[in-house]
Amino acid sequence: MPEAMVASSASEATRGATTQQVDVAVVGAGFAGLYLLNRLRKAGFSSVLLEEAGDVGGTWYWNRYPGARCDIQTIDYAYTFDPELERAWQWSEKYATQPEILRYLGFVADRYDLRRDIRFGTKVTATTWDQAAERWWLTTDNGASVSCRYCIMATGCLSAPKPPEIDGVKDFKGEVYFTGRWPHEEIKLAGKRVAVIGTGSSGIQLIPLIAEQAAHLTVFQRTPNFALPAHNGAPPADRIALLEGDRAGYREQARMSLAGVPWPQQMAVSWQLSDAERRERFETAWAAGDLVYILTQLWADQAVDVDGNTLLADLIREKIREIVKDPETAAALTPHDHPFGAKRPCLDTNYYATYNRPNVTLVNLRQEPITGITASGIKTGKRSLDVDVIVFATGFDAMTGAIMAVHPITGRDGKSLSDVWANGPRTYLGLTVAGFPNLFMITGPGSPSVLSNMAVSIEQHVDWVADRLIAMREAGLTTIEATETAQAGWARHMADCSTLTLHRLANTWYTGANVPGKASGVMPYTGGVGPYRTICDEVVSCGMLGFRLTGPNVPEQCNDGEVVRLQPDVRLVLNMLAEMNLPPIESMGAQGARDFVAEFNKSRPAGRPVGEVVDGTLPGADGPLPYRLYRPATPGPHPIVVYFHGGGWVLGDEQSDDPFCRDMCRRTGMSFVSVGYRHAPEHRFPAAAEDGYAATRWIAEHAAEIGGKPGPLMVAGWSAGGNIAAVTCQLARDRGGPAISGQLLVCPVTDCGFDRPSYTDNATGYFLTRSLMYWFWDIYCSPADRTDPRVSPLRGKLENLPPALVATCEFDPLRDEGVAYAEALSAAGAPVEQLKARGHFHSSLTMVDVVITGVAARVQMADALCRFAGLPPERKEGDEGVRPRSDSLAA
Ligand SMILES: Cc1cc2nc3c(=O)[nH]c(=O)nc-3n(C[C@H](O)[C@H](O)[C@H](O)COP(=O)(O)OP(=O)(O)OC[C@H]3O[C@@H](n4cnc5c(N)ncnc54)[C@H](O)[C@@H]3O)c2cc1C
């Protein structure tokens, strides 16, 4: 029997003082609430939807200002759960207007007969969890309260308008409007003096239309925003053809994409393209009028790297200067304080050109802040302006505003959500909060939400929640609650993700910076829509990982843990490798494995430019060896780092760690000489070790010849290369030089023992497997030689060795032997810095521009090299906020 004890009809419930009893209460009748109600009803749950507004529509009910439109193309910004619905509705424009979207949502409500379970004009004021009854109790400002098993907040991310921060609004005798609460009747602005405060998305849509009507328009701008021409018109034929050609495939691609719109991952990096090629790509995007296209499709590094982003931002700035005739106004309209895309860019129609009109004035609030509002207008530090109308386009208390406005939300043990979120929202998956059983949020903080096409994100959340409620009912479970462990893990994963993009570098409503006193931090999930969806699915497939579930007649279930322990980009790389379904490398034979690695390396982003790259040969222990020299762009002579590539003494060459050498050369301002030492099985132990030493000696002796600074040099290496670097330091000490001032050992092989826990913990699944290590050892070194310090430096004498940085990765079979070497070096008196890269795998730190979250470690490694060379730490633009803190890298 359904749990509805009292009929859930709104009229009956509101008449009496009774509490309306339902299985599920939904708050909010926008895109999310409507679909939710439809799914719940179909699944047989008794439900009520409570909505403050007088009708359905949410965002599109409230934001009726002139020019209000979507900025994701309408064919993408629509429901996809029912192909019949898709066919039943035709959009008239590429970017539909607010009235059309509102009509669409009304059409959806009618088609599925949703209104009969919606209580309009009813604001939920507070809600409390009744532990004994295991039910939420909702109070409202209109009619009966509601008792429900599950409460779902579909209250919207952009539905709580931000109150004006200016004194005197009440004194103003003219008309005042808020874009987020625009009146239903037509507002006549012709012949009036109008002020618009705010130049976010709403302001940018509204300003050109007001300028056409008003006698004079004064725009008050605090922060200039990037705006791009929408080129609105009919829905584009090419996108429609794509959709209609394969509707299911198109929608699926959107669901698995980064932003919820089916554009592919861009592969070309900015430094691979000439100025002309970049300009051509940009002009195509500017002409296309597609926000997601220009945000994702120009070059791969545009959203993740400050330099790549600046190239694009500069091209947009150039456009602003071209369009706006007055140079001072153009300068004021040009954004300089945030990377393009870090703050939501806007789509416009004639926005910048509007400032060429004689009836439009821009007031730059950075230079003359508003000091107050008077009866007749607005006062700034420099002037008083009389106006008839003030329009506040000042945005929203985003993501948390509408949830926190339901106050208090009291969870288990009397916990209030406002206390739990006092330092910023904490959630598990952006869907639930520990301590608040049976409470869900649709597109809550911690989910992709406002960084995505929200139609896609809303459908995913609604389906996930509805499917969970159905599964719980089938299993006899009645409560579900996130665990603290899972929630803390999600916060860590969110922080890891935020190093992937540039959002952290801007003060925006994404970070809460637009609301005075609001805790600051990136609120939406920046790891992308597709990856997020797979994580939510993984939670389910792992037995509701991170949730505690109870029911009256079933044992409690709790598979506690963190759903993502890998860094987000490491997870993507490993998933991609898993999908390739490769045969084990050790089954390919040495030559086959070399060919595979060479082929694989071709698909990596090219290394970044350095001053000069010179190939040469040097004498090894038994014949010439190739080397590649990376020289910085700065005038020399430069300190020298001798570098040994990875590849298990079998694979790779002096060019195979090219992106890493380039990155380190740029960060340190030092010359890197990557040595092509001999490989097994052709040349077994101790060929690689002896070549490493011979090459280092030669480079030290010929430093000046190759443009380096004479004197002590440094050695560095990754994996087997780290082994060779460590061995070289021991040999240099024992054989009378050369002088080495520091060693950088990245995930080094240091010992022939396979019994440390990391060999078991990470035996498979992280690309470098235990069995591959066995194979490398077998090819390079016979068992009798393995304890020789020239291959197991941990077994050597460790006194009097140069300072070291030893980097290890959490998910690497070699982790523990790296740590053991660092500890042993330190015990023997060498200054040692340990870098334990949390969430990383063996290849993370050298996969430059692929594993972006490795940047903090690369900064730390570069700093260590600078220290070894007696130089101040280098800091490269774009590394802001990525400097390692002890807690961010500790395993
Ligand atoms: C001008 C504008 C343009 C946008 N364009 C796009 C776009 O192009 N693409 C895109 O992806 N997103 C866009 N968005 C974001 C947009 O908010 C979402 O796409 C989507 O409409 C959100 O739907 P929702 O149902 O989650 O929330 P909303 O549509 O915000 O609905 C929430 C509802 O909850 C109600 N509510 C809140 N609190 C309570 C309470 N305590 N009691 C009762 N009712 C309550 C509100 O009244 C509201 O009706 C835009 C937003 C704005 C403001």
Side-chain angles (χ1 to χ4, degrees), residues 28 30-32 51-52 58-59 62 65 70-72 77 124 155-156 454:
F31 254 102
E51 169 56 62
E52 181 184 358
T59 291
W62 296 110
Y65 59 84
C70 56
D71 57 12
I72 300 283
Y77 183 60
V124 175
T155 43
M454 290 199 65

Side-chain angles (χ1 to χ4, degrees), residues 177 179 182 189 193-200 202-204 206-208 210-211 216-222 351 355 361-363 365 370 378 387 389-394:
Y177 301 108
T179 50
W182 199 261
L189 298 172
R193 295 162 304 171
V194 181
V196 172
I197 301 177
T199 54
S202 303
I204 283 172
L206 167 102
I207 283 163
I210 294 195
H216 195 90
L217 168 64
T218 309
V219 177
F220 293 82
Q221 171 196 271
R222 185 161 64 185
Y351 175 64
Y355 292 91
T361 311
L362 179 70
V363 175
L365 296 179
I370 294 177
I378 298 175
V387 292
V389 180
I390 302 178
V391 175
F392 285 94
T394 41

Side-chain angles (χ1 to χ4, degrees), residues 638-696:
H638 307 102
I640 293 183
V641 180
V642 182
Y643 180 79
F644 302 106
H645 66 83
W649 307 286
V650 177
L651 315 174
D653 56 34
E654 73 284 0
Q655 299 181 28
S656 56
D657 291 348
D658 180 85
F660 182 62
C661 289
R662 287 170 182 266
D663 186 71
M664 283 288 131
C665 169
R666 287 163 59 93
R667 288 182 189 283
T668 57
M670 297 179 195
S671 282
F672 270 63
V673 188
S674 174
V675 177
Y677 54 87
R678 285 171 297 161
H679 289 152
E682 296 85 350
H683 306 280
R684 303 189 78 217
F685 172 82
E690 292 297 343
D691 276 354
Y693 173 70
T696 306

